[in-house]
Amino acid sequence: MVRQPSINAQNRPPLSIERIIEAALHIVDGQGLGRLTMRRLGDALEVEAMAIYHHLPRGKEQLLDGLVAHVAAAPADERGAAGWRDALRRWSVSYRERLLAHAGVLPLLVTGRNPAALAATTASLREILRRGGIPEAGAAVAAHTLLGYVIGHTALEVRGRAPAEAAEGPVDWDARFTAGLNLVLNAVNPG
Amino acid sequence: MVRQPSINAQNRPPLSIERIIEAALHIVDGQGLGRLTMRRLGDALEVEAMAIYHHLPRGKEQLLDGLVAHVAAAPADERGAAGWRDALRRWSVSYRERLLAHAGVLPLLVTGRNPAALAATTASLREILRRGGIPEAGAAVAAHTLLGYVIGHTALEVRGRAPAEAAEGPVDWDARFTAGLNLVLNAVNPG
DNA sequence: ACCTGAACACCGTTCAAGT
DNA sequence: ACCTGAACACCGTTCAAGT
């Protein structure tokens, strides 16, 4: 008699850290961070939850670290920038877009978790500033000021898009971000 | 025979929302957000966990909303400010101090949760700007730019204070914050 | 090497009951 | 009115076992 392997086991791509992170991000984007559980993640991957531990020995902590790395550390897009000032602008715009696209992981970003991921982000900003000839001390301040603004303003947007911004009417958040970005870019690089 | 009420029930201050929030904040500050559970909170209040629901019918959601309100919405200290520009500075410094003192609730701040709390915060900033004679449109941008910077930079600090900021040596975060704040304040109010 | 199944110690929350 | 105790449906994780 020919062996008949179990239906689910055949021709399935093997589990990998990449596929796990991808599936987790999909759950967070679609249902929120609170609904990301190991069991649900296992379901999404058509696997028992416990199989995940074989690839992420540190369990859920490692999973969340991976989400932070995936969202925060990937290089922001600055293609086609006209000079380094424009590169700063494009970098900020595309970094904000990614944060908004994965707003569910924002709470993980403001934790001590995975500090290396954000170090990589600031490093890429400092590289742009270095190209502009900004001295090292000023570049360190400029990078944190700009990144701080982008992250903080995005956080305000996430809260502001929720109902009941009593103080003012509905806000055009894209325009608001751009206006603030202009102020910060001018401050970081006057003249 | 004289009635003997149970030992625990006598002369205990009755549970109140204020005492509950206070105890919850104490747990978060001391042990982190992840260790704030209804059962542990009950222990801290010398009460069964289920008693808390009598005061917070919406349960843990309402508890977290209360933490956000307590940390984010309280007015920042600007006493003794020499003019409104100095008031903006003092406001920012004291708001950052409070965020750092309760860094464990930062993740709750970057959620859609309790948007009214942050609306109150921006309103207090706009009041200072109004006193400075800044026109309404500019004040709206300035308030979000400044608050965005303060929140975002504080988030960077929380991550940066964790080990392994590979790119640069140990950072003087107080000085870094002040330097960036100077840039932003200048941008928000040139001249 | 990779995955499963049962088990353990926890969660948040409901609900009937006590005082 | 305020709190308790038992119960329910879930968690993350360990560990022995399967293939």
Side-chain angles (χ1 to χ4, degrees), chain A residues 68 106-107 109-115 118 126 140-141 144-145 147-148 152-153 155-156 159 162-163 168 173 176 179-180 183 187, chain B residues 68 106-107 109-115 118 126 140-141 144-145 147-148 152-153 155-156 159 162-163 168 173 176 179-180 183 187:
Chain A
V68 169
L106 253 184
L109 270 184
V110 302
T111 309
R113 186 189 316 280
N114 201 357
L118 215 41
R126 289 157 72 105
V141 172
H144 275 152
T145 303
L147 183 56
H153 195 277
L156 293 179
R159 314 195 96 243
E168 50 185 337
W173 286 107
R176 185 62 56 87
L183 292 180
Chain B
V68 169
L106 252 183
L109 270 184
V110 301
T111 309
R113 188 190 314 282
N114 202 354
L118 214 40
R126 290 157 72 106
V141 171
H144 276 151
T145 304
L147 183 56
H153 195 278
L156 293 179
R159 312 194 98 244
E168 50 184 338
W173 286 106
R176 185 63 55 89
L183 292 179

Side-chain angles (χ1 to χ4, degrees), chain B residues 16-82:
Chain B
S16 69
I17 294 187
E18 289 74 27
R19 278 187 60 226
I20 293 172
I21 298 287
E22 209 170 296
L25 202 55
H26 188 255
I27 291 175
V28 172
D29 291 343
Q31 314 184 241
L33 190 58
R35 289 186 58 81
L36 175 63
T37 71
M38 299 303 270
R39 283 169 165 92
R40 241 188 296 263
L41 183 54
D43 282 352
L45 294 161
E46 296 185 67
V47 108
E48 291 299 312
M50 294 69 201
I52 298 167
Y53 289 82
H54 199 267
H55 301 265
L56 301 176
R58 274 177 39 245
K60 197 170 188 183
E61 279 305 305
Q62 193 173 359
L63 176 66
L64 300 182
D65 285 356
L67 291 182
V68 169
H70 194 274
V71 171
D77 188 8
E78 37 156 313
R79 283 174 303 180

